Amino acid sequence: VNVIGLDPRHNPHVIYIGTDAGVYRSTDQGGSWNKFGTGLPNCAINDLRVDIIYNRIIVATQGRGMWRINIENP
């Protein structure tokens, strides 16, 4: 895991992680994980920010640029 982001609008918190194989999301405080982000390349995620104002996450990848992914309610 390279980076962790929390969505504080949900209780329990929704957790996003950036790994060497993309972005994953947990809706049960880390009990289970699902691949997140349709169209996102399978590459290392170096940074991740949860933007609750615009309802999206922003990720920086290793060699594939930056991506915005809309967040849907889990």
Side-chain angles (χ1 to χ4, degrees):
V1 174
N2 301 325
V3 63
I4 299 171
L6 297 177
D7 189 340
R9 299 173 295 175
H10 303 284
N11 191 12
H13 295 312
V14 175
I15 305 169
Y16 296 91
I17 58 171
T19 70
D20 287 344
V23 177
Y24 291 82
R25 176 171 75 173
S26 174
T27 58
D28 59 2
Q29 294 183 317
S32 61
W33 295 92
N34 295 307
K35 186 103 169 151
F36 184 76
T38 303
L40 185 66
N42 187 17
C43 63
I45 305 299
N46 294 334
D47 202 1
L48 181 148
R49 295 288 182 258
V50 178
D51 181 355
I52 60 174
I53 294 172
Y54 292 104
N55 202 36
R56 64 187 178 188
I57 62 170
I58 301 169
V59 298
T61 68
Q62 178 66 39
R64 295 292 189 107
M66 296 186 66
W67 294 73
R68 293 183 303 204
I69 306 167
N70 291 331
I71 298 173
E72 298 176 9
N73 289 330

